[in-house]
Amino acid sequence: MQYDVIIIGSGPAGLAAGIYAARGGLNTIILERAIIGGQITSAHQVENYPGFPDAIEGFELTERMRQQAERFQAKFLDEEATAIGMEGLCKIVETREHKYRTKALILCTGAYPRRLNVPGEQRFTGRGVSYCATCDGALYRDKVVAVIGGGDSAVEEGIYLTHFARKVYIIHRRDELRAQKILQERAFQNPKIEFIWNSVVQEIHGSDKIEKLEIFNRVTQEISFLPVDGVFIYVGILPNNKLLESRINLDEAGFVYTDEFMHTNIPGVYAAGDIRHKVLRQVVTATSDGAIAAFSAEKWIRDNYEALEKTEQN
Ligand code: NAP
């Protein structure tokens, strides 16, 4: 059987693509190897997605999108895409269980947290080192934690951690944050947050659990030790592009180049959401990408397959 559209990944981009493709009458499946909803499911609050003036939990937002896609008969499969290939106009998506054929393919594989790559990080992951404040924050009630990074994630999750921890250090390698101003202001006003500027963590020390961070101040060149119970690492994201390398045009960081129609360099293959080379990674831009990708896929199918089917009939 050949599908009209296969969407790989079910974050907000994949879900929006699913809603638009299925609602447009295309026979659509969405493959997801982990949690439906993607990375944003671990955001305790999404404050800037239009339509939710009191904010909404990431999980709830994507759960609503899932229900909306299912309402239009998009089908979710709990399978990991392991390879993609081409057979003429047709795209082949392999999973461990099956081989699927599709007219158009929409890649919404997203991104994952960058590792700090310092000694102790791997050893203490799950035992004091975390990449998800929503998942692990409650373990640090009345404790002292450090957050590493200066972007939206570090500052937003640092603020969230103050609901549990008695003290939150935000350690940033420069003396100026990258995060949005509104988040910066909230963090500066929060009495539980203390910034450690111009500093990088060189090593995470401990025995059974984390005891202290070894910190290097890039201005004074001094090394100091900061006792903490936990450390949350938010130093950026990396693209989930293993499937795509060598076929699809990527930027130097590994994100997919598309045009404004979400078209990649391969006819009938689209990319949407965090996996794209883009300036603003937000739920609202991911859903917008997904909608455009589905719209473009529908048009591409009409222009190519319907023309081909007519030629075959004549
Ligand atoms: P990001 O914006 O890339 O920020 C990463 C931060 O980590 C930067 O401050 C960077 O420092 C620092 N960093 C990178 N490598 C480091 C290293 N090896 N050691 C120490 N620090 C390091 O990543 P993000 O905060 O995870 O956000 C990812 C995307 O999601 C962004 O587009 C962001 O806007 C979006 N997002 C939005 C929201 C929201 O709208 N509420 C929330 C979360 C995320 P420099 O500043 O010096 O480069």
Side-chain angles (χ1 to χ4, degrees), residues 56-89:
I56 182 167
E57 279 184 17
F59 179 79
E60 194 190 338
L61 179 61
T62 52
E63 175 55 19
R64 288 183 188 208
M65 294 180 189
R66 182 188 67 76
Q67 289 170 12
Q68 207 172 347
E70 280 185 336
R71 184 181 144 210
F72 297 115
Q73 270 78 56
K75 196 167 144 201
F76 288 84
L77 297 178
D78 182 14
E79 289 178 42
E80 177 174 5
T82 51
I84 53 179
M86 308 293 151
E87 250 176 42
L89 281 184

mmCIF file of all heavy atoms in Angstrom, residues 56-89:
data_model
loop_
_atom_site.group_PDB
_atom_site.id
_atom_site.type_symbol
_atom_site.label_atom_id
_atom_site.label_comp_id
_atom_site.label_asym_id
_atom_site.label_seq_id
_atom_site.Cartn_x
_atom_site.Cartn_y
_atom_site.Cartn_z
ATOM 1 N N ILE A 56 -0.174 26.996 28.997
ATOM 2 C CA ILE A 56 -0.647 25.605 28.939
ATOM 3 C C ILE A 56 0.570 24.703 29.076
ATOM 4 O O ILE A 56 1.664 25.055 28.618
ATOM 5 C CB ILE A 56 -1.434 25.357 27.618
ATOM 6 C CG1 ILE A 56 -1.966 23.921 27.582
ATOM 7 C CG2 ILE A 56 -0.601 25.659 26.382
ATOM 8 C CD1 ILE A 56 -3.020 23.676 26.491
ATOM 9 N N GLU A 57 0.384 23.550 29.717
ATOM 10 C CA GLU A 57 1.503 22.599 29.829
ATOM 11 C C GLU A 57 1.827 22.058 28.437
ATOM 12 O O GLU A 57 0.913 21.804 27.645
ATOM 13 C CB GLU A 57 1.099 21.430 30.719
ATOM 14 C CG GLU A 57 1.213 21.748 32.181
ATOM 15 C CD GLU A 57 0.905 20.540 33.047
ATOM 16 O OE1 GLU A 57 0.921 19.403 32.537
ATOM 17 O OE2 GLU A 57 0.641 20.758 34.229
ATOM 18 N N GLY A 58 3.128 21.868 28.173
ATOM 19 C CA GLY A 58 3.550 21.347 26.870
ATOM 20 C C GLY A 58 2.851 20.041 26.536
ATOM 21 O O GLY A 58 2.412 19.818 25.404
ATOM 22 N N PHE A 59 2.724 19.175 27.538
ATOM 23 C CA PHE A 59 2.106 17.869 27.297
ATOM 24 C C PHE A 59 0.647 18.032 26.873
ATOM 25 O O PHE A 59 0.177 17.405 25.925
ATOM 26 C CB PHE A 59 2.203 16.985 28.552
ATOM 27 C CG PHE A 59 1.551 15.648 28.353
ATOM 28 C CD1 PHE A 59 2.213 14.645 27.662
ATOM 29 C CD2 PHE A 59 0.266 15.402 28.804
ATOM 30 C CE1 PHE A 59 1.598 13.418 27.431
ATOM 31 C CE2 PHE A 59 -0.357 14.186 28.581
ATOM 32 C CZ PHE A 59 0.315 13.187 27.894
ATOM 33 N N GLU A 60 -0.055 18.907 27.594
ATOM 34 C CA GLU A 60 -1.481 19.080 27.278
ATOM 35 C C GLU A 60 -1.680 19.684 25.882
ATOM 36 O O GLU A 60 -2.566 19.276 25.130
ATOM 37 C CB GLU A 60 -2.157 19.952 28.340
ATOM 38 C CG GLU A 60 -3.663 19.855 28.201
ATOM 39 C CD GLU A 60 -4.428 20.851 29.042
ATOM 40 O OE1 GLU A 60 -3.878 21.347 30.042
ATOM 41 O OE2 GLU A 60 -5.583 21.130 28.670
ATOM 42 N N LEU A 61 -0.817 20.641 25.546
ATOM 43 C CA LEU A 61 -0.934 21.285 24.242
ATOM 44 C C LEU A 61 -0.780 20.260 23.113
ATOM 45 O O LEU A 61 -1.583 20.204 22.180
ATOM 46 C CB LEU A 61 0.123 22.395 24.116
ATOM 47 C CG LEU A 61 0.153 23.160 22.805
ATOM 48 C CD1 LEU A 61 -1.162 23.875 22.537
ATOM 49 C CD2 LEU A 61 1.295 24.188 22.811
ATOM 50 N N THR A 62 0.254 19.423 23.225
ATOM 51 C CA THR A 62 0.485 18.457 22.138
ATOM 52 C C THR A 62 -0.552 17.329 22.170
ATOM 53 O O THR A 62 -0.891 16.770 21.129
ATOM 54 C CB THR A 62 1.918 17.884 22.199
ATOM 55 O OG1 THR A 62 2.165 17.389 23.512
ATOM 56 C CG2 THR A 62 2.927 18.954 21.852
ATOM 57 N N GLU A 63 -1.045 17.011 23.360
ATOM 58 C CA GLU A 63 -2.105 16.000 23.446
ATOM 59 C C GLU A 63 -3.356 16.488 22.700
ATOM 60 O O GLU A 63 -4.012 15.741 21.981
ATOM 61 C CB GLU A 63 -2.398 15.718 24.927
ATOM 62 C CG GLU A 63 -3.555 14.786 25.213
ATOM 63 C CD GLU A 63 -3.458 13.421 24.529
ATOM 64 O OE1 GLU A 63 -2.366 13.016 24.112
ATOM 65 O OE2 GLU A 63 -4.522 12.778 24.380
ATOM 66 N N ARG A 64 -3.649 17.770 22.843
ATOM 67 C CA ARG A 64 -4.801 18.325 22.110
ATOM 68 C C ARG A 64 -4.551 18.266 20.601
ATOM 69 O O ARG A 64 -5.455 17.997 19.819
ATOM 70 C CB ARG A 64 -5.036 19.786 22.515
ATOM 71 C CG ARG A 64 -5.594 19.919 23.909
ATOM 72 C CD ARG A 64 -5.856 21.380 24.171
ATOM 73 N NE ARG A 64 -6.222 21.613 25.555
ATOM 74 C CZ ARG A 64 -6.988 22.621 25.953
ATOM 75 N NH1 ARG A 64 -7.445 23.483 25.082
ATOM 76 N NH2 ARG A 64 -7.272 22.789 27.225
ATOM 77 N N MET A 65 -3.302 18.569 20.209
ATOM 78 C CA MET A 65 -2.987 18.504 18.769
ATOM 79 C C MET A 65 -3.125 17.071 18.260
ATOM 80 O O MET A 65 -3.598 16.832 17.149
ATOM 81 C CB MET A 65 -1.567 19.004 18.514
ATOM 82 C CG MET A 65 -1.350 20.478 18.801
ATOM 83 S SD MET A 65 0.378 20.893 18.451
ATOM 84 C CE MET A 65 0.484 22.547 19.110
ATOM 85 N N ARG A 66 -2.698 16.106 19.074
ATOM 86 C CA ARG A 66 -2.811 14.693 18.668
ATOM 87 C C ARG A 66 -4.279 14.333 18.433
ATOM 88 O O ARG A 66 -4.640 13.737 17.418
ATOM 89 C CB ARG A 66 -2.219 13.773 19.738
ATOM 90 C CG ARG A 66 -2.275 12.301 19.352
ATOM 91 C CD ARG A 66 -1.879 11.390 20.476
ATOM 92 N NE ARG A 66 -2.814 11.401 21.584
ATOM 93 C CZ ARG A 66 -3.997 10.787 21.588
ATOM 94 N NH1 ARG A 66 -4.382 10.083 20.546
ATOM 95 N NH2 ARG A 66 -4.788 10.871 22.637
ATOM 96 N N GLN A 67 -5.125 14.726 19.370
ATOM 97 C CA GLN A 67 -6.555 14.414 19.237
ATOM 98 C C GLN A 67 -7.135 15.046 17.970
ATOM 99 O O GLN A 67 -7.953 14.457 17.265
ATOM 100 C CB GLN A 67 -7.319 14.923 20.460
ATOM 101 C CG GLN A 67 -7.030 14.114 21.703
ATOM 102 C CD GLN A 67 -7.593 14.769 22.959
ATOM 103 O OE1 GLN A 67 -8.370 15.705 22.894
ATOM 104 N NE2 GLN A 67 -7.171 14.280 24.109
ATOM 105 N N GLN A 68 -6.661 16.267 17.695
ATOM 106 C CA GLN A 68 -7.156 16.986 16.511
ATOM 107 C C GLN A 68 -6.740 16.234 15.234
ATOM 108 O O GLN A 68 -7.533 16.104 14.306
ATOM 109 C CB GLN A 68 -6.561 18.394 16.528
ATOM 110 C CG GLN A 68 -7.390 19.434 15.831
ATOM 111 C CD GLN A 68 -6.810 20.819 16.088
ATOM 112 O OE1 GLN A 68 -5.954 21.009 16.966
ATOM 113 N NE2 GLN A 68 -7.264 21.789 15.331
ATOM 114 N N ALA A 69 -5.486 15.763 15.207
ATOM 115 C CA ALA A 69 -5.013 15.017 14.020
ATOM 116 C C ALA A 69 -5.803 13.717 13.864
ATOM 117 O O ALA A 69 -6.190 13.342 12.750
ATOM 118 C CB ALA A 69 -3.517 14.730 14.156
ATOM 119 N N GLU A 70 -6.058 13.042 14.989
ATOM 120 C CA GLU A 70 -6.803 11.771 14.920
ATOM 121 C C GLU A 70 -8.241 11.994 14.471
ATOM 122 O O GLU A 70 -8.818 11.156 13.800
ATOM 123 C CB GLU A 70 -6.761 11.067 16.272
ATOM 124 C CG GLU A 70 -5.441 10.339 16.449
ATOM 125 C CD GLU A 70 -5.356 9.513 17.705
ATOM 126 O OE1 GLU A 70 -6.079 9.810 18.689
ATOM 127 O OE2 GLU A 70 -4.522 8.584 17.715
ATOM 128 N N ARG A 71 -8.787 13.138 14.857
ATOM 129 C CA ARG A 71 -10.162 13.459 14.436
ATOM 130 C C ARG A 71 -10.288 13.458 12.910
ATOM 131 O O ARG A 71 -11.323 13.123 12.356
ATOM 132 C CB ARG A 71 -10.525 14.829 15.009
ATOM 133 C CG ARG A 71 -11.942 15.224 14.738
ATOM 134 C CD ARG A 71 -12.259 16.595 15.301
ATOM 135 N NE ARG A 71 -13.175 17.253 14.394
ATOM 136 C CZ ARG A 71 -13.251 18.548 14.201
ATOM 137 N NH1 ARG A 71 -12.457 19.371 14.862
ATOM 138 N NH2 ARG A 71 -14.109 19.053 13.364
ATOM 139 N N PHE A 72 -9.186 13.824 12.231
ATOM 140 C CA PHE A 72 -9.215 13.846 10.759
ATOM 141 C C PHE A 72 -8.622 12.561 10.158
ATOM 142 O O PHE A 72 -8.237 12.529 9.002
ATOM 143 C CB PHE A 72 -8.468 15.084 10.247
ATOM 144 C CG PHE A 72 -9.113 16.376 10.688
ATOM 145 C CD1 PHE A 72 -8.446 17.241 11.540
ATOM 146 C CD2 PHE A 72 -10.394 16.699 10.270
ATOM 147 C CE1 PHE A 72 -9.038 18.429 11.962
ATOM 148 C CE2 PHE A 72 -10.999 17.885 10.693
ATOM 149 C CZ PHE A 72 -10.317 18.745 11.542
ATOM 150 N N GLN A 73 -8.472 11.542 11.022
ATOM 151 C CA GLN A 73 -8.014 10.206 10.582
ATOM 152 C C GLN A 73 -6.516 10.104 10.279
ATOM 153 O O GLN A 73 -6.091 9.214 9.545
ATOM 154 C CB GLN A 73 -8.791 9.698 9.353
ATOM 155 C CG GLN A 73 -10.040 8.893 9.704
ATOM 156 C CD GLN A 73 -11.197 9.746 10.114
ATOM 157 O OE1 GLN A 73 -11.616 10.625 9.370
ATOM 158 N NE2 GLN A 73 -11.720 9.512 11.323
ATOM 159 N N ALA A 74 -5.709 11.012 10.821
ATOM 160 C CA ALA A 74 -4.257 10.770 10.744
ATOM 161 C C ALA A 74 -3.981 9.579 11.661
ATOM 162 O O ALA A 74 -4.585 9.447 12.722
ATOM 163 C CB ALA A 74 -3.488 11.988 11.223
ATOM 164 N N LYS A 75 -3.062 8.701 11.220
ATOM 165 C CA LYS A 75 -2.812 7.479 11.991
ATOM 166 C C LYS A 75 -1.415 7.555 12.610
ATOM 167 O O LYS A 75 -0.443 7.866 11.912
ATOM 168 C CB LYS A 75 -2.893 6.306 11.002
ATOM 169 C CG LYS A 75 -3.048 4.973 11.648
ATOM 170 C CD LYS A 75 -3.439 3.974 10.561
ATOM 171 C CE LYS A 75 -2.802 2.640 10.843
ATOM 172 N NZ LYS A 75 -2.708 1.799 9.680
ATOM 173 N N PHE A 76 -1.321 7.296 13.910
ATOM 174 C CA PHE A 76 -0.020 7.336 14.603
ATOM 175 C C PHE A 76 0.540 5.924 14.725
ATOM 176 O O PHE A 76 -0.172 5.008 15.120
ATOM 177 C CB PHE A 76 -0.187 7.934 16.008
ATOM 178 C CG PHE A 76 -0.448 9.406 15.985
ATOM 179 C CD1 PHE A 76 -1.739 9.894 15.803
ATOM 180 C CD2 PHE A 76 0.592 10.318 16.110
ATOM 181 C CE1 PHE A 76 -1.990 11.257 15.754
ATOM 182 C CE2 PHE A 76 0.346 11.684 16.061
ATOM 183 C CZ PHE A 76 -0.940 12.146 15.893
ATOM 184 N N LEU A 77 1.812 5.758 14.409
ATOM 185 C CA LEU A 77 2.453 4.454 14.566
ATOM 186 C C LEU A 77 3.665 4.607 15.475
ATOM 187 O O LEU A 77 4.487 5.508 15.273
ATOM 188 C CB LEU A 77 2.910 3.915 13.206
ATOM 189 C CG LEU A 77 1.806 3.641 12.182
ATOM 190 C CD1 LEU A 77 2.411 3.162 10.875
ATOM 191 C CD2 LEU A 77 0.825 2.600 12.717
ATOM 192 N N ASP A 78 3.746 3.714 16.440
ATOM 193 C CA ASP A 78 4.820 3.732 17.415
ATOM 194 C C ASP A 78 6.033 2.991 16.837
ATOM 195 O O ASP A 78 6.336 1.874 17.242
ATOM 196 C CB ASP A 78 4.234 3.012 18.650
ATOM 197 C CG ASP A 78 5.199 2.978 19.797
ATOM 198 O OD1 ASP A 78 6.174 3.711 19.751
ATOM 199 O OD2 ASP A 78 4.940 2.185 20.729
ATOM 200 N N GLU A 79 6.649 3.598 15.825
ATOM 201 C CA GLU A 79 7.763 2.941 15.133
ATOM 202 C C GLU A 79 8.833 3.974 14.803
ATOM 203 O O GLU A 79 8.505 5.125 14.512
ATOM 204 C CB GLU A 79 7.282 2.310 13.808
ATOM 205 C CG GLU A 79 6.407 1.107 14.009
ATOM 206 C CD GLU A 79 5.916 0.543 12.675
ATOM 207 O OE1 GLU A 79 6.716 0.472 11.720
ATOM 208 O OE2 GLU A 79 4.731 0.208 12.614
ATOM 209 N N GLU A 80 10.072 3.519 14.818
ATOM 210 C CA GLU A 80 11.180 4.425 14.490
ATOM 211 C C GLU A 80 11.584 4.255 13.029
ATOM 212 O O GLU A 80 11.871 3.131 12.598
ATOM 213 C CB GLU A 80 12.379 4.112 15.404
ATOM 214 C CG GLU A 80 13.584 4.966 15.059
ATOM 215 C CD GLU A 80 14.735 4.788 16.025
ATOM 216 O OE1 GLU A 80 14.652 3.929 16.928
ATOM 217 O OE2 GLU A 80 15.726 5.517 15.859
ATOM 218 N N ALA A 81 11.620 5.352 12.307
ATOM 219 C CA ALA A 81 12.119 5.286 10.931
ATOM 220 C C ALA A 81 13.622 5.048 10.995
ATOM 221 O O ALA A 81 14.343 5.758 11.702
ATOM 222 C CB ALA A 81 11.814 6.582 10.197
ATOM 223 N N THR A 82 14.098 4.025 10.288
ATOM 224 C CA THR A 82 15.528 3.705 10.343
ATOM 225 C C THR A 82 16.241 4.007 9.029
ATOM 226 O O THR A 82 17.454 4.109 8.998
ATOM 227 C CB THR A 82 15.727 2.217 10.702
ATOM 228 O OG1 THR A 82 14.921 1.442 9.807
ATOM 229 C CG2 THR A 82 15.309 1.929 12.137
ATOM 230 N N ALA A 83 15.479 4.143 7.960
ATOM 231 C CA ALA A 83 16.099 4.485 6.669
ATOM 232 C C ALA A 83 15.047 5.070 5.747
ATOM 233 O O ALA A 83 13.864 4.742 5.855
ATOM 234 C CB ALA A 83 16.695 3.235 6.023
ATOM 235 N N ILE A 84 15.513 5.968 4.874
ATOM 236 C CA ILE A 84 14.603 6.450 3.843
ATOM 237 C C ILE A 84 15.284 6.272 2.484
ATOM 238 O O ILE A 84 16.507 6.350 2.384
ATOM 239 C CB ILE A 84 14.155 7.922 4.051
ATOM 240 C CG1 ILE A 84 15.345 8.863 4.228
ATOM 241 C CG2 ILE A 84 13.207 8.055 5.201
ATOM 242 C CD1 ILE A 84 14.925 10.315 4.405
ATOM 243 N N GLY A 85 14.463 5.995 1.489
ATOM 244 C CA GLY A 85 15.012 5.797 0.146
ATOM 245 C C GLY A 85 14.021 6.299 -0.890
ATOM 246 O O GLY A 85 12.907 6.697 -0.554
ATOM 247 N N MET A 86 14.463 6.287 -2.132
ATOM 248 C CA MET A 86 13.612 6.794 -3.221
ATOM 249 C C MET A 86 13.482 5.699 -4.285
ATOM 250 O O MET A 86 14.440 4.975 -4.556
ATOM 251 C CB MET A 86 14.269 8.016 -3.899
ATOM 252 C CG MET A 86 14.699 9.119 -2.962
ATOM 253 S SD MET A 86 13.306 9.937 -2.183
ATOM 254 C CE MET A 86 14.086 10.437 -0.641
ATOM 255 N N GLU A 87 12.301 5.629 -4.858
ATOM 256 C CA GLU A 87 12.071 4.735 -6.021
ATOM 257 C C GLU A 87 11.290 5.550 -7.026
ATOM 258 O O GLU A 87 10.063 5.634 -6.941
ATOM 259 C CB GLU A 87 11.228 3.540 -5.586
ATOM 260 C CG GLU A 87 11.971 2.236 -5.558
ATOM 261 C CD GLU A 87 11.096 1.111 -5.026
ATOM 262 O OE1 GLU A 87 9.904 1.044 -5.412
ATOM 263 O OE2 GLU A 87 11.617 0.332 -4.223
ATOM 264 N N GLY A 88 11.967 6.225 -7.912
ATOM 265 C CA GLY A 88 11.284 7.160 -8.801
ATOM 266 C C GLY A 88 10.678 8.284 -7.971
ATOM 267 O O GLY A 88 11.349 8.867 -7.122
ATOM 268 N N LEU A 89 9.384 8.548 -8.192
ATOM 269 C CA LEU A 89 8.711 9.593 -7.411
ATOM 270 C C LEU A 89 8.413 9.135 -5.983
ATOM 271 O O LEU A 89 8.210 9.944 -5.082
ATOM 272 C CB LEU A 89 7.371 9.945 -8.068
ATOM 273 C CG LEU A 89 7.359 10.858 -9.282
ATOM 274 C CD1 LEU A 89 5.916 11.135 -9.699
ATOM 275 C CD2 LEU A 89 8.056 12.179 -8.986
#
